Amino acid sequence: MSRFWKISLLVVAVVVVLAIGARVLRGGGHEGRGHGKPGSSASAAGAEGQDEDTGPVPVTAVPATVQEVPVYASALGTVTALNTVTVNPQVGGQLMSINFKEGEEVKKGQLLAQIDPRSLQASADQAAAAKRQNQALLATARSNFARSSAPEYQQYVSKTDLDTQRNQVAQYEAAVSANDASMRAAQVQLQYTRITAPIDGIAGIRGVDVGNIVSASTSIVTLTQIHPIYVSFNLPERQLTPVREGMARGVLAVAALDRGDAHVISAGGKLDVIDNRISADSGTFGARAIFDNTDNLLWPGQFVNVRLQLSSIAGGVVVPAQAVQRGPDGDYVYVVQADNTVKMQAIKQGVEVDDSHVQIASGLKAGEKVVTEGQFRLKPGSKVQPLAPGETPAPPTEAELKAAAGKGRKEGGGGRRGGGPR
C-alpha cells in the first residue's frame, strides 16, 4: 500500500471517531438538561415554600420621639485674635535684656525688654542743667527790674533801660519754660528705653536677641490677645434674613467644633456682628462671633466649624437617621403597625438634630415605631418581630428545632421519590 493511501485511511478513521464522540456528547447534554429541569423546579418550589414558612423577620424598631429641635446654620470659620500688636522700640540703642518668655501670657504694662538708657539719661541731665542756669539768670533779671522800678531809683533809670530789663525777665521766663519742655521730652525718651506690654496677650517668638542694636523698625515680639477671641466666618445670603431676625430676638448662640465635626471645642460663643455688605462674587456675607476662651482651646489662625443656632422647632418629631430610606419617589420609612406588619411611609426630612438623628417635617407622627435595622429584608406587608436596640431574637426552642428537622426530612424524602421514576 502506498503512502498516500495510508494517510487517507488515517484521516478517515479520525473523522469517524470525532463524529461518534460528538454524537455521544450531544446525547449526554440532552439527558442532563432533561433531568435538570425538574430538579430546578423542585428547588424553586422548596425555596418558595421556605420563604412562606419562615417566621417573622427580626428587626430593630424605635418609636418616633418629640423634642425641641434647634435650627442651625453651619460654616467654616477662622479664629482671629481680639488684638494683635507688634512691639517695636521707639528709641534706638543696644538691647540690654529680654524680660519675657516666649509663648507665655503677659500683662499690660509688664516689662518686656530694656534698652541701654545712658545716652538718653545724659540728655535729660543736660536739659535739667540748662533749666537751672536759666532759672538763675531769670532771678537776676527779676531783681534788676524790681530795683529799677522802685520809686527811689526810677528817676535815675531811663525808660529804655527799664523796658530792656522787663523784656529780659520775659526772655528768661521763656527760656525756663523751654527747658521744662526739653526735660519732659528727655524723660519721655528715657522711659522708652523700658519696653512694656501695651495689651494683655500671649507673647510670640522674639525677633531679636540681647546685645543687638535696635531701632524703631526692629520687631521685638508680637502679642496676641485671646481673652476674649473672635471667630470669623461667611454664610450664604439666603440665611441673612434668619440671622438678622434671630439677632433682633436676642443673643444668638454660637459653637465652635473641630474640623471633623466630631466634638465641640467651645460652646460659649455669641454672634457679635454682621458685615454691612454681601459679596457679589461668592454670594455670602461675613459674620463674627466672640468667645470668652478662658480655657485657651481656641487659637489664632485655627480653622473650626461654626454652628450658629438660628431658632428652634417646638415639638419636632425625631427619629434615628438610619431609619430614613431613599427611594425613586423620595424618602420613606418602614412603620411597624399594630399587627406587627410593616408599611412603607413616605416622609419629608427636616433638619439634622445631631450626628445620628433627624427631624421629620411631615409624614410621621410621634410614637409611631420605625424600623432602624433590617430594612433590606422587608417589603410592604412583611411580618416582623420588632426588637429594641441591642436586643437579639430569642433562640429557637427544642420543639421548633425538631419540627424544622422533621420537615426537612419529609421534603428531602419527597424529592427522592419524585426523582426515582424519572
Side-chain angles (χ1 to χ4, degrees):
M1 184 179 293
S2 67
R3 185 176 180 184
F4 172 78
W5 287 108
K6 288 181 180 180
I7 294 175
S8 300
L9 289 175
L10 181 60
V11 171
V12 170
V14 171
V15 170
V16 171
V17 170
L18 291 175
I20 294 172
R23 185 173 183 180
V24 171
L25 290 175
R26 284 198 300 272
H30 290 305
E31 184 179 358
R33 285 193 296 270
H35 288 295
K37 287 180 181 178
S40 299
S41 301
S43 300
E48 183 178 356
Q50 183 179 358
D51 290 341
E52 292 175 355
D53 295 337
T54 301
V57 178
V59 296
T60 302
V62 297
T65 59
V66 176
Q67 66 183 70
E68 184 174 352
V69 179
V71 179
Y72 295 112
S74 300
L76 179 64
T78 305
V79 181
T80 57
L82 183 70
N83 290 302
T84 301
V85 177
T86 300
V87 179
N88 294 66
Q90 293 180 269
V91 295
Q94 185 179 25
L95 192 64
M96 302 295 293
S97 65
I98 297 288
N99 302 89
F100 66 91
K101 290 185 178 180
E102 298 163 304
E104 291 191 354
E105 189 169 355
V106 297
K107 298 295 183 182
K108 183 178 180 179
Q110 178 179 333
L111 180 65
L112 299 179
Q114 176 74 53
I115 295 175
D116 187 0
R118 288 175 294 182
S119 60
L120 294 175
Q121 181 65 58
S123 298
D125 293 342
Q126 287 176 354
K131 177 182 177 180
R132 289 193 297 271
Q133 180 182 4
N134 287 323
Q135 283 177 332
L137 294 173
L138 175 61
T140 301
R142 282 175 175 172
S143 297
N144 292 336
F145 178 70
R147 188 180 307 108
S148 299
S149 301
E152 60 271 21
Y153 292 103
Q154 193 171 9
Q155 57 181 333
Y156 303 108
V157 180
S158 66
K159 188 176 184 304
T160 301
D161 292 340
L162 191 63
D163 292 339
T164 300
Q165 292 178 0
R166 182 186 299 107
N167 293 335
Q168 193 173 25
V169 170
Q171 178 182 351
Y172 288 132
E173 287 176 346
V176 171
S177 297
N179 293 142
D180 287 336
S182 298
M183 287 182 61
R184 288 194 297 271
Q187 288 297 328
V188 169
Q189 295 294 309
L190 186 61
Q191 290 175 2
Y192 287 156
T193 61
R194 289 175 50 86
I195 302 174
T196 58
I199 59 171
D200 296 341
I202 303 294
I205 299 175
R206 71 174 188 265
V208 68
D209 296 322
V210 174
N212 288 344
I213 302 299
V214 297
S215 62
S217 61
T218 305
S219 174
I220 302 296
V221 70
T222 298
L223 304 180
T224 55
Q225 187 174 357
I226 62 174
H227 303 137
I229 202 167
Y230 290 136
V231 175
S232 301
F233 53 96
N234 292 322
L235 292 172
E237 63 176 309
R238 67 175 182 275
Q239 293 180 334
L240 177 60
T241 299
V243 170
R244 295 184 64 187
E245 290 176 349
M247 289 192 70
R249 291 192 300 268
V251 176
L252 293 183
V254 182
L257 294 80
D258 64 359
R259 291 294 299 272
D261 278 344
H263 69 279
V264 175
I265 299 174
S266 180
K270 60 182 180 180
L271 188 63
D272 181 48
V273 67
I274 299 174
D275 200 1
N276 59 359
R277 65 184 182 89
I278 296 175
S279 172
D281 297 330
S282 62
T284 61
F285 64 94
R288 189 180 68 193
I290 188 168
F291 292 78
D292 291 335
N293 198 35
T294 55
D295 47 11
N296 292 347
L297 293 179
L298 296 176
W299 210 250
Q302 180 181 4
F303 290 100
V304 295
N305 283 313
V306 178
R307 192 172 65 188
L308 171 65
Q309 183 174 347
L310 299 177
S311 60
S312 60
I313 301 173
V317 178
V318 177
V319 298
Q322 59 190 9
V324 179
Q325 305 295 304
R326 289 165 179 80
D329 297 327
D331 298 335
Y332 67 92
V333 295
Y334 280 112
V335 177
V336 180
Q337 302 182 96
D339 59 354
N340 282 347
T341 61
V342 294
K343 68 174 180 177
M344 186 183 294
Q345 182 68 44
I347 55 98
K348 181 179 179 181
Q349 291 192 64
V351 298
E352 293 183 359
V353 178
D354 51 34
D355 293 338
S356 59
H357 289 78
V358 65
Q359 178 251 343
I360 303 301
S362 62
L364 193 65
K365 297 179 181 179
E368 289 186 307
K369 279 190 174 182
V370 295
V371 178
T372 59
E373 294 182 16
Q375 299 98 321
F376 68 97
R377 302 176 59 187
L378 301 180
K379 60 183 179 180
S382 296
K383 192 77 172 180
V384 296
Q385 179 188 358
L387 303 172
E391 183 182 1
T392 57
T397 63
E398 186 176 352
E400 291 173 341
L401 291 175
K402 288 181 179 179
K407 181 179 178 182
R409 285 195 297 271
K410 182 178 179 181
E411 291 178 351
R416 285 191 296 273
R417 286 193 299 273
R422 294 190 187 92

